[in-house]
Amino acid sequence: DHGEGWFYILSNATHKNFALMRAPEADPAEANWQVLVPGSDEQYLTWFMRLAGRLVVGERIAGLEQVRIIEDEGADYLVAFPESTHTVGPGANAEYHTPYLRLRYQSMITPETEFDLQFATRALVTRKVQVIPSGYDPAEYVTERLTATARDGTRVPVSIVYRRDLPRDGSAPLYLYGYGAYGMAVMPGFSASRLSL
């Protein structure tokens, strides 16, 4: 991406989970790259965009998608979302000079939702929510994020969804589904067909 006299580069040249660099537009040779977000075993950089006054970076931390805002003035923060487990990514952001960021969000109980993150207040403003024709009521469901320790000690993130009136005494059945390899994971998104379970 490009802005404010710099080229911005997402690269896995220094770390398998990627790093975010910048290079001056006058001489963007690799020798002039500066590290803005270093590669890390704890975060996987998945996307980014340059907007006037800030960088927006998509990260996966402990298997959960996050959005980091890095202001040119120095502020650096993760966007706060309404649920502990969710899927989020960039929406249509065609304007470079903008007071907000359009995001696409969903969780296991929230249908696909368009949010605008207001940079001035850091508040999320709902712009559109997918309509579920069956009359779905999200207040009837709960979603949680847990971790399970595998035999080798690896902490595996687990997203669960259930009806609020589910007995929590071990008598209810569980449908378990999972996948994780090659940098891919099952994101905790909404599924209308899952409601029948």
Side-chain angles (χ1 to χ4, degrees), residues 159-175:
S159 298
I160 61 172
V161 61
Y162 55 90
R163 280 186 56 97
R164 193 171 295 280
D165 59 0
L166 180 85
R168 300 291 302 269
D169 58 7
S171 64
L174 169 72
Y175 176 72

Side-chain angles (χ1 to χ4, degrees), residues 156-157 175-181 185-186:
V156 180
Y175 176 72
L176 178 65
Y177 176 80
Y179 177 83
V186 177

Side-chain angles (χ1 to χ4, degrees), residues 104-124:
R104 299 182 76 183
Y105 174 92
Q106 61 181 299
S107 77
M108 297 182 90
I109 62 172
T110 300
E112 189 165 305
T113 300
E114 298 275 340
F115 282 134
D116 283 348
L117 170 69
Q118 305 294 325
F119 292 125
T121 62
R122 300 186 186 179
L124 291 172

Side-chain angles (χ1 to χ4, degrees), residues 18-182:
F18 293 85
L20 184 60
M21 322 284 195
R22 74 176 183 176
E25 64 184 9
D27 188 2
E30 190 172 350
N32 297 322
W33 289 12
Q34 301 171 9
V35 176
L36 296 176
V37 180
S40 166
D41 290 340
E42 284 73 45
Q43 69 187 28
Y44 180 67
L45 303 183
T46 55
W47 59 272
F48 80 97
M49 70 176 67
R50 174 70 198 186
L51 298 174
R54 62 193 47 88
L55 277 169
V56 181
V57 183
E59 304 176 349
R60 192 176 307 146
I61 301 171
L64 184 64
E65 292 179 342
Q66 302 286 359
V67 177
R68 179 176 302 280
I69 309 297
I70 304 171
E71 304 278 353
D72 290 353
E73 300 297 322
D76 182 336
Y77 61 93
L78 290 175
V79 177
F81 292 105
E83 290 143 341
S84 63
T85 184
H86 56 263
T87 299
V88 66
N93 292 282
E95 297 296 326
Y96 183 74
H97 295 277
T98 178
Y100 66 87
L101 171 70
R102 177 69 46 93
L103 293 168
R104 299 182 76 183
Y105 174 92
Q106 61 181 299
S107 77
M108 297 182 90
I109 62 172
T110 300
E112 189 165 305
T113 300
E114 298 275 340
F115 282 134
D116 283 348
L117 170 69
Q118 305 294 325
F119 292 125
T121 62
R122 300 186 186 179
L124 291 172
V125 177
T126 303
R127 295 298 183 200
K128 183 178 180 183
V129 179
Q130 176 189 7
V131 175
I132 307 302
S134 63
Y136 166 73
D137 180 2
E140 294 179 1
Y141 297 87
V142 176
T143 187
E144 295 179 38
R145 180 174 166 83
L146 309 172
T147 56
T149 303
R151 286 185 293 252
D152 67 357
T154 302
R155 303 208 19 101
V156 180
V158 179
S159 298
I160 61 172
V161 61
Y162 55 90
R163 280 186 56 97
R164 193 171 295 280
D165 59 0
L166 180 85
R168 300 291 302 269
D169 58 7
S171 64
L174 169 72
Y175 176 72
L176 178 65
Y177 176 80
Y179 177 83
Y182 311 106

Side-chain angles (χ1 to χ4, degrees), residues 2-8 23-26:
H2 177 267
E4 314 302 317
W6 297 90
F7 287 107
Y8 295 85
E25 64 184 9

